[in-house]
Amino acid sequence: MLELNNLKYTVEDNGTDKSIIDGLSLSIPDAKFVVITGPNGGGKSTLAKIIMGIYPLTEGSIVFDGEDITELGITDRAKKGISFAFQQPVHFKGIKVIDLLRLAKGENLSVADACEYLSKVGLCARDYINREVNSSLSGGELKRIEIATVLARGTKFAIFDEPEAGIDLWSFQNLIKVFENIRTSINGTILIISHQERILEIADEIVIIEDGKVKKQGSKEEVLPEILGSPYAGSACNKLVQEGK
């Protein structure tokens, strides 16, 4: 279980402190698919980076599996079993997909085992296993390769920050299938930051964050009907349709 206790995060803005996360407390149970949503600027992505240790807390504490990890850095949190996938996956010039999967796994994966991870995210392994992780790959391909590395790590707690960002509608539809498959097979917790109705629909729990605080937390059945009419629900997908992608 992940417990966030009275988290506060402030940044300096024109000589004054601006509160981004303001006294936020939240418990995320084990082996659940949890989606955090809410209006833009509400603190969702900031919270994800705080959990991973990318941003340092101003106040509060983070407890993971009964251990206080507040003072731990990114590397130590990763060793504890927390992983993070960025909105825009990082390019690794000169590194092949199989090398990236081996780094994620921490061992010399066989080609067959590496191909299995790629297959789980809907990629034809023989077409990707020896490709470089660079700009020749589309946004959707990079997203799925990044998810494959998370699967290879086998972490207890995987965070995905707006995985739909920057990909076309076709790739998004395939991404949903990937998450549906992960949802049925993973033993750990998945935490996704998203506005997308399709992603919200496959969640166990939904958390609404607004103005740096938890506005509501509950099961999909409890929370989803309340937010379907909200401007932040489905906005990214609607934009893709409007652009004809």
Side-chain angles (χ1 to χ4, degrees), residues 197 200-201 223-234:
E197 181 180 340
L200 292 166
E201 286 175 344
V223 181
L224 189 56
E226 178 180 326
I227 64 177
L228 284 180
S230 301
Y232 52 83

Side-chain angles (χ1 to χ4, degrees), residues 40 162-169 172 194-197 199 231-243 245:
N40 290 329
E162 297 196 27
E164 70 271 16
I167 63 174
D168 58 47
L169 185 58
F172 173 72
S194 181
H195 295 149
Q196 279 299 324
E197 181 180 340
I199 293 178
Y232 52 83
S235 57
C237 189
N238 291 338
K239 182 179 179 183
L240 289 170
V241 173
Q242 290 165 6
E243 293 174 350
K245 292 185 177 180

Side-chain angles (χ1 to χ4, degrees), residues 12-33:
E12 185 177 330
D13 183 22
N14 294 323
T16 62
D17 288 339
K18 180 180 179 181
S19 179
I20 308 298
I21 300 295
D22 186 16
L24 184 149
S25 294
L26 175 66
S27 293
I28 299 175
D30 292 334
K32 293 290 185 181
F33 191 114

